[in-house]
């Protein structure tokens, strides 16, 4: 069956962050596939993945990587689908600056839609919003998701006001 | 007539950067509208713009701003359409770090698709790629655009090789 | 009863920092209210809060948030009361730079009075100093607070000199 | 006659930035005085200025300085009035980071209300908002000032929409 | 005829920096070729270049690029020859941090020998030192180059001492 | 017996990082020596080491140091062999920026081949690639090493696809 | 009895770092005094300390502080003795950048001799070197101290070479 | 005749900054010598200079350099005289961060007294303060210098107050 979103990551160690994208897509009713593709260690696999993506029916690719993170940008150079980049704070990263700048600062002509450091969940939501722009059912799910966010804040505000901050701090 | 992409900016002084998005969309055959909306000086106008966007038929919003750039993130909080953020290097900016981080580092739940500093052109291309995922004509334009990019590099490589770098430097 | 200071935060997880503001205001004899308001998840709640603040008798608003922290700046755009911004070092923050720059680097016309990273206590003291400029009782409390600070340093200096640093290190 | 706001700066070379504070206060109907006080070259003058400020009727002090900017913090340590700090991008500054961090990162107990780099104008507006919290006439001026900001954005938006961005770019 | 060093750059606009590498290699008696190869705009050309490099007799590749600079790292992933990366300060770069980190912070397994920002000349010298480790003639040229550097400093020191700094400043 | 690579470090506390270089060289069939040499505490020892390196048959020197890391650059100034610099994140380092910049930003004439922060392993691989450019046996080992990297990624991808991410996360 | 060096710190919590200065001075045969002086909480005490320092026979002052660290610079403005500044990585510091820049970037006319982040030990050694420039006994102690440093490196090098790195890693 | 201070710089291009140190020493009545010494291009000259410094009667060394600035730290490792380091903003520097961190972040045991970026003048004043701690005539010059600084600020303050800021801005 055709998937709408492809989630790839440079190393299996990125799974705790990138699985948040998968989880968000499931909640928002969007189909996806998920695997490991390394720009530096499996360049041919990356090329095959990116070049076949549109033909296989994908609408968006989410790519996460750490350090000198070339995966999102290289995939973007190999497909005309939108590519969402997730900078990952890997060990030996310099506070995440390396992956953020390697993904964000793409040259004119080859954009990557970059989300926050370790923003796997937001990558999933962003992909869903792209689908939702054309699919009313997903758009409705997005609206409900936003209502939930709002409800949770309002509930926690009410609880805090009732209990007072001193008691709330002890929770 | 319905536009597919809405381009907004915090101040008219952002036009030289943000008009690059408009230019890219025209080249790629995507319709758009363009205006000024300020998060801090016209908050109600921002709310009206964002909340009506989907109903008016927009598929993507591109929002550019400098300094403590709140426009892209606030618009993203008010619509479930995908929002592309363009960090702009304004005067008194601290090398652009302020607008990059204000746009990129959104909390979980409310993503902004951030492009490079002053990346107006890339914002337009990214918006077109989102449209192109569902519209074969735009996808074809994207493919042709990429072929052009490739052709230009190959031409400049051939010219450099023929002339040699010493003569080329004098051009 | 009318409160003088409104303390708001983007998420209940900011309470450990923001409760320091409440504690400081209590010590300095200033009344306050405290709740959760999210710029991105409850934009309408934020607007209602900010637009009613002056009418409800507030003199100052303290707003704390992390990451791409838009709450202080957006509240400042919606009221003409002074707004104090507290940058909070949230998880996935890039060492706090994101919240500092998102709060500090406001455009001309809409200032936010920014305090140090995680400076909840200083936000409370700063709010009290604004009240104290017009209220002699609070001013007196401020003066006593400063005397206490001084006394504590002098006591610790005396103790250190008496004991010597070698013994003091072992405390 | 009693002034409401004291504006001081570490060097006369800071006047182009700090005079923006004076200009804003004039527009908002707030009285002020303005002079040069250097923390490092005239420490006694700084002490005299800060310690006499409240007695002379000042309600707020605005202090601007560049590099290792100690003036705002030291003044804040010597008075219980609110102190607004303006980081100034001086020559040999490291992109302004030195003055921002020297002013912003004050220890617990001694806050400085920091505004954006070179934010002289915002310092004036912030001081006026503190006065306006207690003075209805200044509050009204603040409201009118905000309306003006809004009007200017709306006018520039309308003009841009009418002319189109191509013609507007040529202005 | 077989060349020893391949110099490539992401865009012809990098030539002023990268021609410094060519110049250094000429002075040190090392043969080279020079062309334009873009990771993002001509990915297949990059792959062909890197995969054929060893067979064509190259001993070292020098790759320069700006912004999110993926060329050096991707080439290093496609060959087992040593790859020297030159971070280039392009327009819209964030002070060069983006290209430095995109080139330097490669993951374990795929190193890039990174030189200073805009360090085209040093890239050429470094390549020559790698050749010189196995080629006594190039090693001798390296030694003479170092003697020249030393001589120039000693000459300028002597001249400065003789003239005095006051007169030297006026030169 | 003659060694091909010399590994030195500023302090024995750097051994956990620098031993990764030794391990990589062993795997790739390259001989090496390893010791402690401090630029600041044993300057004469550093000079003797660097000046005798070529005569003793070394082809490459790997030098690691933290903080204001002068060892790689000073060694590069004293030999015409290629020098690989490893920035080490020592205690009291400022996130590694100090050692990165002290090693990377060498002046024109004296390059250091800098690898990623704590990149001991990559330094070893880079040294082997320099040897491999002239030694077919080492080149073959490099190729096999790259094949292994690729195989491991493909295996982990297959495993992840089979198991699914939910089960994989629990490993 | 007259002390040669005065060690002061902004808070007793700085003692673990600043006691390293005392320890170094003891080892190098230099007399000292040590106490707590806060620029922000005890400004008058700071003034008295700095203005009396020369008269009391001090030759150097070492001042340590964290965050917006004004103590070293303010003391330097109040005495013509040399002042050594120790930036301290306090809690809520932004990786130490705030204290480094607040101490280092002093305006022309008022220098502070800044040492590395948390460099209490180096501050003591630097103070001793200033004394040693005029006192042969201290100079001799300095020379012996340097010989010890050298000896320790040579011993650890010899041990590492004998044991080999594999066994040494297990220590 | 014996000089008290030695001023050295890595390149003659540093003279505009380093001559400020010479100028300050002349004004403060301290004798000096000034020349070019490069750590990387003339290492032996650096060693000779540093090792003979004390014997030749120098009391302090001022060393300035840009980029990966190793001169101050290496000189400090070769003498037990106090060494003042001047970070210089050279071309291709990354905003000066490279020279600041290369000079400031010295390891325990080998301090460098670092002054502000391009702080040649402050280096001269700091050297004079070290001499002045032992030489009453120089101390008196220091005191007069400080009085002058104070007088100039007071004069400019008076002038500004008399003229008003509007007229002063036009000067």
């Amino acid at each position: 069956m055709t998937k709408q979103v492809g989630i790839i990551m440079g190393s299996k160690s990125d799974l705790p962050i990138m699985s948040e994208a998968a989880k968000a897509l499931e909640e928002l009713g969007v189909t996806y596939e998920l695997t490991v593709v390394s720009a530096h260690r499996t360049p041919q696999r990356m090329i095959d993945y990116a070049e076949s993506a549109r033909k296989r029916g994908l609408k968006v690719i989410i790519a996460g990587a750490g350090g000198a993170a070339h995966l999102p940008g290289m995939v973007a150079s190999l497909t005309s689908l939108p590519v969402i980049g997730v900078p990952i704070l890997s060990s030996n990263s310099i506070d995440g600056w390396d992956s953020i700048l390697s993904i964000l600062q793409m040259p004119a002509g080859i954009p990557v839609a970059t989300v926050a450091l370790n923003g796997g969940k937001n990558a999933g939501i962003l992909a869903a919003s792209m689908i939702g722009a054309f699919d009313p059912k997903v758009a409705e799910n997005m609206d409900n998701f936003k209502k939930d966010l709002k409800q949770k804040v309002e509930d926690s505000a009410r609880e805090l006001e009732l209990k007072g901050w001193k008691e709330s701090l002890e929770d």
Side-chain angles (χ1 to χ4, degrees), chain A residues 73 76-77 101-112:
Chain A
S77 86
L101 293 174
S102 300
I103 293 175
L104 182 73
Q105 285 291 96
M106 290 294 290
I110 316 285
V112 169

Side-chain angles (χ1 to χ4, degrees), chain A residues 7-164:
Chain A
I7 304 175
I8 54 178
M9 63 205 81
S11 155
K12 209 186 137 186
S13 64
D14 302 330
L15 188 59
I17 299 298
M18 297 308 290
S19 60
E20 295 293 322
K23 222 180 294 179
L25 289 169
E26 287 193 6
E27 282 171 38
L28 293 162
V30 177
T31 58
Y32 65 90
E33 58 181 39
L34 179 155
T35 191
V36 174
V37 175
S38 167
H40 299 120
R41 287 167 293 168
T42 62
Q44 189 58 52
R45 179 176 165 84
M46 173 183 72
I47 294 164
D48 297 344
Y49 188 93
E51 290 188 343
S52 68
R54 181 187 290 278
K55 288 169 242 158
R56 289 186 294 116
L58 293 181
K59 300 299 187 197
V60 192
I61 297 173
I62 298 174
H70 299 178
L71 183 66
M74 286 309 300
V75 167
S77 86
L78 293 157
T79 180
S80 52
L81 289 177
V83 175
I84 298 173
V86 183
I88 293 182
L89 180 63
S90 52
S91 66
N92 283 344
S93 173
I94 309 174
D95 293 328
W97 292 116
D98 37 18
S99 51
I100 287 178
L101 293 174
S102 300
I103 293 175
L104 182 73
Q105 285 291 96
M106 290 294 290
I110 316 285
V112 169
T114 312
V115 294
L117 188 63
N118 283 350
K121 184 176 182 180
N122 270 3
I125 297 169
L126 180 58
S129 76
M130 295 179 194
I131 309 285
F134 293 89
D135 177 337
K137 177 65 193 138
V138 173
E140 196 189 320
N141 293 347
M142 288 288 296
D143 287 340
N144 290 332
F145 171 80
K146 291 219 160 183
K147 274 182 210 140
D148 269 11
L149 284 182
K150 177 170 157 269
Q151 194 58 51
K152 274 179 204 150
V153 172
E154 287 174 354
D155 289 352
S156 88
R158 191 162 316 117
E159 195 196 338
L160 175 56
E161 290 171 19
L162 281 174
K163 268 198 185 169

